[in-house]
Amino acid sequence: MSDLLFFFEVTLAGLGSGALLSLTALAFVLIYKATRVINLAVGEMLMLGGYLFFAFAAGFGLPAWAAIPLAIAGGGLVGAVVERGLIRPMLGESPIAVFMVTIGLGSILVGLVELIWGTDPRALPAFMGNTPIFIGEAYVSRKIAIAFAVAAVVIAVFLVLFRYWRGGVALRATATDQAAAYSCGINVPGVFSLAWVIGCGTAAGAGVLLGSIGGISPAMGVFGLSALVVVIVGGLDSVAGALVGGLVIGLIEAWAGTYLGGEFKLVTTFGLLLVALMIRPYGLFGTTEIERL
Amino acid sequence: MAADILLDINNIEVVYNKTVQVLRGLSLSVGRGKIVTLLGSNGAGKSTTLKAVSNLLTLENGAVTAGTIRFDGNDISRLTPHALVRRGLFHVMEGRRIFEDLTVEENLTAATFALSGRGLKPTPFDLVYQYFPRLFERRNGRAGYLSGGEQQMLAIGRALIAQPSLILLDEPSLGLSPVLVEEIFTIIASINRDLGVSMLLVEQNAAVAFAVAHYGYIMETGKIVLDGPTERLVKDEDVREFYLGASGGEGTRSYRDIKHYKRRKRWLS
Ligand SMILES: Nc1ncnc2c1ncn2[C@@H]1O[C@H](COP(=O)(O)OP(=O)(O)OP(=O)(O)O)[C@@H](O)[C@H]1O
Ligand SMILES: [Mg+2]
């Protein structure tokens, strides 16, 4: 019985980090869908979000309710600048070149953060409280539970906007056929900017959640790698794939980390990636058009 | 320039990838409220002409290297494609190009962006459903599951939502059965009549194009080779032979003449 309870607790924790993975994967998918750019800097945007929150909350002493939106807005602003300054001028270049630019961008962000805040990990000012939450008899860390709930709400809001908001229609139209979107009067470059702003803002928000669970460090961008696995497994352009894939990978990492040992976490993730790529190269939910990289 | 000219293309040259020249000094104009057809064989440069007008050419690495295009009196060369749509110039592209993952209604919603910043009342979707009742039945279904004819109706429906003064129509008859072609062209003619929308109509099917158009241009390898009011073009020997398929006398010709005449009467009455 207690074995089962323990398994249940591990599973809940896995779902918690899975929800964060889903959220981060959603940032990837949003940017990819609209602009066909694989933004490898999403992990670093997430890290930047954590540090921006740290700067506003610890540096300027702002309360969490002000620091969180500021961190998200800061992430969105960086997204806008990057899209206008780096990505749009490369329109029409080979996808690999753009992909490389986002890798470079990631390194620049890490470098900047190290310059300003140093390389040591830091704890974020607590704003979630510590009282554990029990589901039946199973214990869940309060922070993980809150992160799960917030991620779930944000994802739900995204799904609704995607489906019913007029801007969501513009985004999906642009994703399906750029020329046709132009021909309908949709401001396609505007959609690109919007996708980068929302995507990077989302990643920054995920960074705040992740940082308040495990602290922040310049290396926390590796979380983006797991999210990358999620989108490759789930399909680069599939929102459903990001959601399901995030939860699945979160669960598997939690189980592998607990029962096989922490060093197996990433090994299992990437093993899964290989298997998934062999079975369905375009992702479990993706469209059957293989992106050559 | 005459005030009744809506679109004026003057001596343009178009080059793709900075190397392939496709248009070589093409000129044509569309009068306000008129349907003008542009005919020509495969690869003559008809679609290229329309893309030059809607500025979608830049997406395909093409450029207008000489000449001018004026829409409603203004040079269009510096306008983005979406800005042009928002000035009332709508391009219904070759191959329909509907958003297949979106529903029929969402496709129409996408076209409402054409009204941004124009201070117009939103077009009721019912206008589209009046012309194309079949779309109403399918309005919540995925557009990708529509038949080819229904997709063409949706493509034209999107144009209606945009309240344009000029529609560029690229081969609306492509891949449709004769009955459907007739249905769609009847509607094209009535849209022009009811709403006063001008049209530049590119076609392979000269017979149906002549049945609705007021004026026609015929192009070959990047230039206009012949133009005139439709009544005159349909009597032209070359046009009859090469575009209407009447190959010198015999029964075929007279049969086509009769059929053609009937159609014309039905559409234009
Ligand atoms: N994006 C492009 N890049 C290079 N060449 C192109 C491009 N698009 C068209 N062409 C070339 O330009 C010429 C004219 O093409 P266009 O599509 O305008 O012909 P069209 O008259 O519309 O023919 P069709 O009746 O088959 O649609 C063709 O020779 C074609 O190969
Ligand atoms: Mg064509």
Side-chain angles (χ1 to χ4, degrees), chain A residues 25-73:
Chain A
L26 205 59
F28 262 114
V29 169
L30 198 66
I31 291 173
Y32 180 79
K33 247 179 122 68
T35 61
R36 304 282 135 174
V37 170
I38 297 174
N39 177 13
L40 264 201
V42 159
E44 282 70 30
M45 288 302 313
L46 172 141
M47 172 206 63
L48 186 69
Y51 274 93
L52 285 176
F53 176 76
F54 179 77
F56 290 122
F60 299 119
L62 293 178
W65 60 262
I68 294 172
L70 281 174
I72 293 173

Side-chain angles (χ1 to χ4, degrees), chain B residues 16-17 20 22 40-49 51 60 94 170-171 204:
Chain B
Y16 280 113
N17 305 319
V20 193
V22 174
S41 49
N42 287 111
K46 305 180 297 295
S47 299
T48 302
T49 307
K51 284 183 244 173
E60 295 183 18
E94 185 172 3
D170 200 342
E171 292 198 41
Q204 294 274 352

Side-chain angles (χ1 to χ4, degrees), chain A residues 225-251:
Chain A
L225 280 186
S226 295
L228 182 65
V229 173
V230 168
V231 289
I232 292 175
V233 171
L236 281 167
D237 59 354
S238 166
V239 174
L243 302 189
V244 178
L247 291 180
V248 168
I249 302 253
L251 281 175

